[in-house]
Amino acid sequence: MKKKILACLLILFPIFSLGIAKADTVKSKYIIASDSSFAPFVFQNSSNEYTGIDMDLIKAIAKDQGFEIEITNPGFDAAISAVQAGQADGIIAGMSVTDARKATFDFSDSYYTANTILGVKESSTIASYEDLKDKTVGVKNGTASQTFLTENQSKYGYKIKTFADGASMYDSLNTGAIDAVMDDEPVLKYSISQGQKLKTPIAGTPIGETAFAVKKGSNPELIQMFNKGLANLKANGEFQKILDKYLASGETTASTSTVDETTIWGLLQNNYKQLLSGLGITLALALISFAIAIVIGIIFGMFSVSPYKSLRVISEIFVDVIRGIPLMILAAFIFWGIPNFIESITGQQSPINDFVAGTIALSLNAAAYIAEIVRGGIQAVPVGQMEASRSLGISYGKTMRKIILPQATKLMLPNFVNQFVIALKDTTIVSAIGLVELFQTGKIIIARNYQSFKMYAILAIFYLVIITLLTRLAKRLEKRIR
Ligand code: ASN
């Protein structure tokens, strides 16, 4: 009984106490997209959970305002695209409010102010923008820092290299592949405070206030709730507590773990669950998409040897179009392009799930190659056999099924196995749409601990083992079918 009363009070208290500063939720759950590594705003701790100012803030606001959220962390550029395509309802990622962005986003009240600043290795001799002549500066794609670099490029004569995520950018700086990086000041300063051997030789340049954003004109209640929640958290001191947690006391990326991640064993021990779940997604993607691809591929392959010209033409167009488009573009087109197009016509957001989009892209891609394998296999059977069979009065379909296909299938089998291996490797490409399969899982782990050599070695071994096992299995099946 006591418990029930307590529960009622707990539910009613926030409603009454914040009654004035509360907006109405419209959706039962809001999807919030964020960066993948942008400490102290958002980063993974060693328990593989996303933390940081932005993560704590949005969770506290959702709680304060009584709305549900689901957070995804595909990286800054992908998060921006996700909001634009309606895959996500809002973005919180240390995002700067710029005039250009105001054309496509609605921003909340600001919760931070950040400069963009140049970061170089501790040992670097770069001391001014002039020193950057002919040097390469790394920057994250789609960021305000990138705009700054592009605008000043002709003045200082540096080369710009863009990265999809902060982890690979800082990795490249550490290995000397680039000479400097341009990033938000709190981010660079934070990584220095965490022991990164970097320095910031030039004072930062203001790039705007930091705020939460939604796609222009959509989810206005989300901005309202964010602003009200932020005001409440500022008033009750919770906002300051969040800032202090990451900035003053320096909550670190290694705060919750005692496992040493500098060894392969430590890396495996601390991340095996995450790696296995990534592997599960990779296998599911490869197997499901390959099964679909076989069906589509066989249909188009049969079309391509059909006596009807129209079917042959359809098959040719399918193979040419799909084979002519890089897989990554196909995936991006399905995941971001099509929902964007549908919305522009219907005015309705119609996001597609990343796994579904990845599976469709992989299926279509593999189907085009399988269609060619099927065509090649059938055409490798001497034409005389078809002619002889038809002259005996046996129908086209029956000849195909009983005479041509059994021989052709034998010829196709090794190519199918080959194509499956390619399909499995291709799953890494669709990670570009933010799908957390095995490769992306590894990148997220590296974003936290910078152990790129050991982590990529682990990934390579994972793929090697899986592919070797699966090809062995496929070869056995192949023998049996023969
Ligand atoms: N401050 C960056 C921007 O707004 C955000 C980020 O890199 N996550 O462009």
Side-chain angles (χ1 to χ4, degrees), residues 126 144 198 398 425 454:
I126 294 168
L198 305 175
K398 198 163 181 193
K425 291 186 188 172
K454 287 170 193 130

Side-chain angles (χ1 to χ4, degrees), residues 143-178:
T143 58
S145 301
Q146 186 189 26
T147 314
F148 174 86
L149 278 185
T150 316
E151 281 170 1
N152 291 286
Q153 186 171 24
S154 55
K155 194 160 147 199
Y156 298 115
Y158 45 72
K159 285 178 243 133
I160 302 174
K161 189 162 164 55
T162 47
F163 292 88
D165 58 277
S168 39
M169 177 172 82
Y170 282 97
D171 245 5
S172 302
L173 181 63
N174 283 329
T175 57
I178 54 175

Side-chain angles (χ1 to χ4, degrees), residues 35 38 76 93-96 101 140 142-144 184:
D35 209 330
F38 200 56
F76 186 70
M95 184 172 175
S96 315
R101 284 181 182 158
K140 251 161 45 188
T143 58
D184 289 19

